[in-house]
C-alpha cells in the first residue's frame, strides 16, 4: 500500500470529523465558498438514498432528500469570485487523464454535535487525488480568510488552515458523505443503534471531479463544473 502523503508541518494536527463538512463563513461579498469534490458512482448514491429513506421514516430529512448532490469533499475553502475561471482550468488540467477508481463506504459515523456521515474508506488513489487538487487550487484561494470560530478550540489545526485555507488536507484528509448536520431528532440514536448491528460495505467508484458553490453546511448549491473520467484505472 502506498503511504499517505506526509506534510511535516501538518502531521501533528488531530482529526476532527465533526467539522469536516462545514463550509467557511463568507468574509466579504466577493468571497465564495467552493468545494472541489469526488463524484461517486450509482451504487454509492443508492446507499445514500437507502439511508435517507430509513431516516425519513424516523422524521429526519437528509441533505440528499433536500436535493443536494452526493459528493465527497476533496478540498473546500474560499476564493474570490473572480478566480472561478482560473480554478476550473487548473482542476481540468489535473484530472484530464484520470480514470475511474474504487470508492468504498464502510459504515456510519455520528459526531458529538449530531452530524451523520457515511464513512468513505481511505485509499491511496483517493488521497492522491485530494492532494493534487489541493496543490492545484490553493494558489487561487482567498488568502485573507479568517479561521472559523470553532478553530479556537483546536489551535493545532491553525498551521494547516493558514497554509491551505482548510484544516482538512493531506494527513488530515478524512473522506465521508454527509447525511445530516446538527440533527435534533431523538430518533437518530435509535437509527444508529439499529444500523450499527450490520454495516455492509458499498463498493462503487469515483467517476469524476466536480466544483461547486456550497452553503454553510458544505452542501453544493450551484455546480460550476464537472469533469467526468473516461475508462477505468
Amino acid at each position: 500500500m502506498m503511504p499517505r502523503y506526509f506534510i511535516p508541518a501538518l502531521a501533528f494536527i488531530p482529526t476532527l470529523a465533526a467539522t469536516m463538512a462545514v463550509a467557511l463563513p463568507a468574509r466579504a461579498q466577493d468571497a465564495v465558498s467552493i468545494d472541489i469534490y469526488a463524484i461517486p458512482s450509482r451504487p454509492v448514491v443508492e446507499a445514500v438514498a437507502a439511508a435517507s429513506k430509513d431516516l425519513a421514516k424516523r422524521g429526519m430529512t437528509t441533505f440528499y432528500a433536500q436535493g443536494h448532490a452526493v459528493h465527497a469533499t476533496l478540498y473546500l475553502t474560499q476564493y474570490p469570485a473572480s478566480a472561478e475561471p482560473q480554478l476550473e482550468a487548473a482542476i481540468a488540467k489535473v484530472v484530464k487523464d484520470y480514470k475511474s477508481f474504487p470508492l468504498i463506504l464502510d459504515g456510519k459515523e455520528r459526531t458529538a454535535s449530531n452530524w451523520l456521515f457515511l464513512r468513505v474508506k481511505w485509499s491511496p488513489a483517493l488521497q492522491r487525488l485530494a492532494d493534487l487538487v489541493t496543490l492545484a487550487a490553493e494558489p487561487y484561494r482567498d488568502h485573507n480568510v479568517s479561521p472559523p470560530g470553532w478553530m479556537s478550540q483546536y489551535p493545532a489545526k491553525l498551521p494547516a488552515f493558514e497554509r491551505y485555507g482548510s484544516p482538512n488536507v493531506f494527513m488530515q484528509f478524512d473522506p465521508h458523505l454527509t447525511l445530516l448536520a446538527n440533527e435534533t431528532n431523538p430518533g437518530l440514536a435509535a437509527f444508529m443503534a439499529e444500523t450499527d448491528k450490520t454495516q455492509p460495505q458499498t463498493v462503487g467508484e469515483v467517476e469524476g471531479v466536480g466544483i461547486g458553490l456550497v452553503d454553510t453546511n458544505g452542501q453544493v448549491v450551484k455546480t460550476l463544473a464537472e469533469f467526468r473520467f473516461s475508462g477505468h484505472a
Side-chain angles (χ1 to χ4, degrees):
M1 175 181 291
M2 291 172 56
R4 297 197 187 194
Y5 285 76
F6 181 72
I7 305 297
L10 309 184
F12 61 91
I13 301 173
T15 299
L16 182 65
T19 65
M20 298 298 289
V22 181
L24 303 172
R27 178 182 61 84
Q29 289 185 352
D30 64 345
V32 291
S33 291
I34 295 179
D35 192 4
I36 305 170
Y37 54 88
I39 301 171
S41 63
R42 176 53 54 183
V44 175
V45 175
E46 289 175 348
V48 172
S52 296
K53 184 176 180 180
D54 193 348
L55 288 161
K57 293 177 181 177
R58 304 166 191 265
M60 290 168 278
T61 305
T62 66
F63 292 121
Y64 173 80
Q66 295 173 33
H68 293 288
V70 179
H71 70 286
T73 293
L74 300 171
Y75 180 50
L76 189 162
T77 190
Q78 283 189 10
Y79 300 84
S82 60
E84 290 177 17
Q86 297 98 313
L87 179 63
E88 292 177 22
I91 299 306
K93 184 177 181 180
V94 167
V95 303
K96 66 183 179 68
D97 295 322
Y98 249 87
K99 307 295 183 183
S100 297
F101 60 87
L103 183 74
I104 299 173
L105 303 182
D106 65 352
K108 303 177 184 68
E109 179 182 353
R110 176 191 181 186
T111 73
S113 54
N114 288 329
W115 287 65
L116 181 62
F117 304 142
L118 293 184
R119 295 195 307 264
V120 174
K121 186 176 182 180
W122 180 91
S123 71
L126 188 59
Q127 179 76 58
R128 177 170 173 76
L129 178 60
D131 293 350
L132 291 174
V133 159
T134 299
L135 291 171
E138 190 278 334
Y140 303 102
R141 72 177 179 88
D142 179 0
H143 287 263
N144 295 314
V145 65
S146 299
W150 58 261
M151 283 193 64
S152 63
Q153 302 176 48
Y154 304 92
K157 281 184 168 283
L158 278 173
F161 185 89
E162 290 171 350
R163 175 63 184 87
Y164 295 100
S166 170
N168 306 313
V169 293
F170 296 103
M171 289 296 290
Q172 299 306 309
F173 178 57
D174 188 12
H176 59 273
L177 307 177
T178 305
L179 296 178
L180 300 169
N182 301 313
E183 182 57 53
T184 59
N185 190 317
L188 181 57
F191 170 81
M192 292 300 296
E194 293 175 18
T195 58
D196 277 349
K197 297 174 184 177
T198 57
Q199 296 204 39
Q201 286 190 340
T202 297
V203 179
E205 293 183 324
V206 174
E207 292 189 333
V209 167
I211 304 174
L213 298 177
V214 295
D215 61 18
T216 55
N217 289 319
Q219 298 304 301
V220 178
V221 295
K222 180 181 179 181
T223 301
L224 300 176
E226 287 190 346
F227 307 99
R228 298 281 175 168
F229 301 157
S230 59
H232 297 78

